[in-house]
Amino acid sequence: MAQPAAPPLPPPRPDLPAPPADGPGAPKAASAGPQTGPATEADTGCLERLDKLGVRFEKLSPVQEKGCKIGNPVSVSALSNTIEIAPASVMECSYAENLARWIANVVVPRASEHLQSAPTKLLIGTAYQCRDQRSGAKLSEHAFGNGVDVMGFEFDRRPPLRVKFQSEGSPEAAFQSAIQKEACSIFTTVLGPGSDDDHGDHLHLDMRMRKGDYRICQ
């Protein structure tokens, strides 16, 4: 299926306006600084694992913004030496580790299998954002740096691919279906095209903890 030669990074979804870069609406997590208080052994271990995975990141100060918070935040600009994130995104360290493993263990081999290409860039719509779920019942996992919306991918030997309803039977459809299904072994919430009206243009991947390790995979 033909893809646009170089699609621009998607703007924030209309119902989720991006906060201004400066001023009172800017997220507090966006500025790096020293860790406030001693880092725990778990925090340090996670950062060391990111290094081993080849993740390019900047350690940030803990986030506390209204009810939103991230205990061990990092700003990630690449998930390996060959796969960038655009734009650089703030997330919890442990989430960044899971995202890097999904890319390495699922996205890379499935791109080779179905598209005969290697991914070079992950396009992100929303990562950390202090907001409620759409239902308003509770805070979104985005509010804890524990979820991202994947809008698409760029590759080394083919045009970019945007997450959407792909043509049935196409290599793009096989690739997208595979990475969505296999994400369920890593993330506790996986929502994408076909799950509901809100996720037709992206993959929502988060790590919400539920009783009995219950997972939502749609």
Side-chain angles (χ1 to χ4, degrees), residues 108 111-113 115-120 154-160:
V108 169
S112 177
E113 177 183 356
L115 305 176
Q116 291 75 54
S117 296
T120 58
E154 291 184 7
F155 302 89
D156 61 348
R157 295 192 297 276
R158 57 152 288 137

Side-chain angles (χ1 to χ4, degrees), residues 191-213:
L191 300 171
S195 62
D196 56 39
D197 293 337
D198 295 328
H199 298 90
D201 63 352
H202 67 279
L203 294 176
H204 171 83
L205 310 173
D206 77 42
M207 292 297 299
R208 182 178 291 277
M209 300 302 295
R210 303 182 182 89
K211 292 181 179 179
D213 193 32

